[in-house]
Amino acid sequence: MRKKLFTFLLFWTIGILTAFAQVENPATWSYSEKSLGNGEYELTLKAELKPGWTIYSMYTPEGGPMQTSLNFEAAGKGIELLGKATENEPHKEYDPIFEVDVWHFAGEFVITQKIKVTDPALTSVKGTLEYQVCQEGQCVMFDEEFTIPLKGAGNVVEKTAEVPSGDLQASDTQKDESLWMFFWLAFVAGLAAVVMPCVFPMIPMTVSFFMHGDSNKAKAKAKALFFSFSIIAIYTVLGLIISVVLGPDFINWLSTNWVPNVFFFIIFMIFAASFFGAFEIVLPSWLVNKSDKQADKGGYIGAFFMAFTLVLVSFSCTAPIVGTVLVEAARGSVLRPVIGMLGFSLAVALPFGFFAFFPSKLGNLPKSGGWLNSVKVVLGFIEVALGFKFLMVADQTYHWGLLDREVYIAIWVAVFTLQGLYLMGKLKFRNDSDLQYIGVTRLAFIIATFAFVIYLIPGMFGAPLKALAGYFPPQETIDFDINRIVRDNAKEIMKSGVALGNPAAVSRNQEACESPKYADFLHLPHGIDGYFDYEQALKCARAQNKPLFIAFTGHGCVNCREMEQSVWSDPRILDMLRNDYVVVALYVDDKKTLPENEWYISDYDGKKKKTLGKKNADFQIKYFNSNAQPNYILLDSHVEGKDLEKYMLMPARGYDLNRDAFYNFLKEGLEKFKQRNQ
């Protein structure tokens, strides 16, 4: 008895503290403007976040958490937006729940938007920010209205906020981690470039030139090192030029618009064709010859131009790899092209510097031969596979329906099957040598390739393929999902059996339990039957004499997806949700516009609610004093009046991956429902 009383008091105390914590906004915004002249302004909106909280980027990829949304009241009617809004560098990491890369900020989130005032009478800019902030265990949505007076440079409208320096340092650390990861990926790409037919044979030739061209060995080594650093400088300057020319506005456009994504897809296919030997990407011969003449001058100037000549001569092999790095770099921040080229060039220059210091090691290098062209061709297959990712982004964003999940996976299966056959010598391209036998290294690559193909095949029939989920379209786009078919058939059989046993009861339930609204675009996990409208669900629950399980959730709620995958999937919990409760999922971030006759002014904040998400969020705040997700309510279906909290069967439950605790939560709620309505 004491244990139960203690547990009740603990849950009650946590519930009260959580309710009070939820009304506080962990993101404190400040606003400033700077006059650029000619009626143009640069607006800065900065959020300072409390420790442990994160906020999501405006450009988080499709299918991820709720993006931050910035809207201006006078856009097109008094101000003109100059380009897209830019952000400070987000932390990017793959999220297995959403199966995409998630972009988020900790500590500080800064949005910059340039505008041009077209109405001379306009003295301020008004707008709204819609965003989601999350910490371990909960996510909360907010609307932020702002007004920024246009009084010239230095004017700041600010809300008080103090952010611990450690939180800002955490943000900087996340930024560094993101750039470091890209640096190492570019470094690996550089290593791949080293074994290209245009680069690899030049290593011993170039090192020998430096070692035998000067009797002073120390001076020769110094020139060789300068040659290596020159390679790094040339490629890094290329990245710097890309950053300066494009700028942050253009880079954001590259990340979000379908036009560059389709363009990049075409570019990747051209790169692949070049690797397959269809043609060579070459520079004008006069440019190469001119650089080569400068290299003959000797000294450090000659070493620099020899490096420049190497870059130009190897262009036909390295251009597709350099292009791939730059394409990926341009889809991030302005620093990424510089970081990418630094990592790439360091890997290319490394063998030249190494063998200049240890020329005796040159004999250990494998001899040039047909294997170099095989490396090119294998990279060509990889370019084809990766290129389809850009087309997938455009297809998913604009709902063209070209690349459903099974079609996309089928393309990858075909590509890597052909790669395996090529490695076996069953396919031969124009520049390939005859394959006399299969070596151990090649055999290892053959086994790995076909193992990968076998791993992919079940994905065409519904397997999640979680290791590669970020590269594939969402699971919902698959047409032939065996798991879904089996689940749906089982439901039909169960319904038929119930109908045969008690047709009158089934008829009554069908009248009360209508087809769920919004089921054409909203779905419950694990094949659970349920509703997406509270009134519909309540009516059905009363007819079946069952309690109501309300899940306040969101499309962009990471913790909600994790609860559904890790906790709801427990067989005991699934059985109770399917048989003992009527489930209703209320999405608080859905943008579905309600019919105009369903619009209303909220008693809570006095704002007009026009969308399904706004309606559900208002319902949660008004009746359950909470605005965090996930939030799970067990409600007696025989409610009367509007005081819903007194009909709650258990204290509300949020994010908690303890399956046993969640099962007990459902079980005790069901027992209390039966006691109340005995």
Side-chain angles (χ1 to χ4, degrees), residues 128 132 175 188 226 304 345 364 421 533 658:
T128 57
Q132 175 179 255
K175 181 190 301 185
V188 172
F226 183 79
F304 172 81
S345 58
N364 296 331
L421 293 174
D533 177 84
N658 187 323

Side-chain angles (χ1 to χ4, degrees), residues 87-164:
E87 304 172 333
N88 53 318
E89 177 73 16
H91 177 57
K92 301 176 183 178
E93 61 183 357
Y94 176 74
D95 191 298
I97 303 299
F98 285 104
E99 301 181 347
V100 297
D101 289 333
V102 172
W103 301 8
H104 57 89
F105 303 85
E108 184 178 70
F109 177 32
V110 181
I111 302 173
T112 304
Q113 173 70 64
K114 292 181 181 178
I115 66 168
K116 183 178 181 65
V117 177
T118 57
D119 181 0
L122 196 68
T123 59
S124 63
V125 175
K126 296 182 179 181
T128 57
L129 282 158
E130 295 183 19
Y131 57 95
Q132 175 179 255
V133 286
C134 294
Q135 68 172 355
E136 184 66 31
Q138 67 172 333
C139 293
V140 189
M141 289 178 55
F142 288 99
D143 289 338
E144 178 86 12
E145 295 183 350
F146 61 85
T147 300
I148 308 177
L150 300 176
K151 297 180 181 178
N155 179 60
V156 178
V157 178
E158 194 169 309
K159 300 178 182 178
T160 59
E162 292 185 4
V163 181

Side-chain angles (χ1 to χ4, degrees), residues 185-202:
L185 290 174
F187 184 84
V188 172
L191 293 179
V194 169
V195 293
M196 290 288 97
C198 303
V199 180
F200 187 80
M202 297 185 70

Side-chain angles (χ1 to χ4, degrees), residues 376-409:
K376 274 184 67 176
V377 173
V378 168
L379 287 176
F381 284 115
I382 295 173
E383 289 271 341
V384 171
L386 295 179
F388 273 94
K389 186 171 188 280
F390 295 101
L391 187 60
M392 179 195 72
V393 171
D395 181 68
Q396 292 297 313
T397 304
Y398 291 88
H399 307 291
W400 295 337
L402 299 175
L403 286 177
D404 287 345
R405 185 178 176 88
E406 69 270 31
V407 174
Y408 190 93
I409 295 176

Side-chain angles (χ1 to χ4, degrees), residues 243-257:
S243 293
V244 172
V245 171
L246 296 184
D249 289 342
F250 189 73
I251 285 173
N252 277 327
W253 178 77
L254 289 178
S255 301
T256 57
N257 195 279

Side-chain angles (χ1 to χ4, degrees), residues 56 85 173 209 251 258 291 316 352 399 441 509 518-519 529 539 579 619:
Y56 295 98
T173 301
F209 172 81
I251 285 173
W258 71 270
S291 177
S316 61
F352 292 94
H399 307 291
T441 302
N509 285 341
Y518 315 120
D529 286 327
K539 184 179 178 182
N579 301 312
F619 176 72

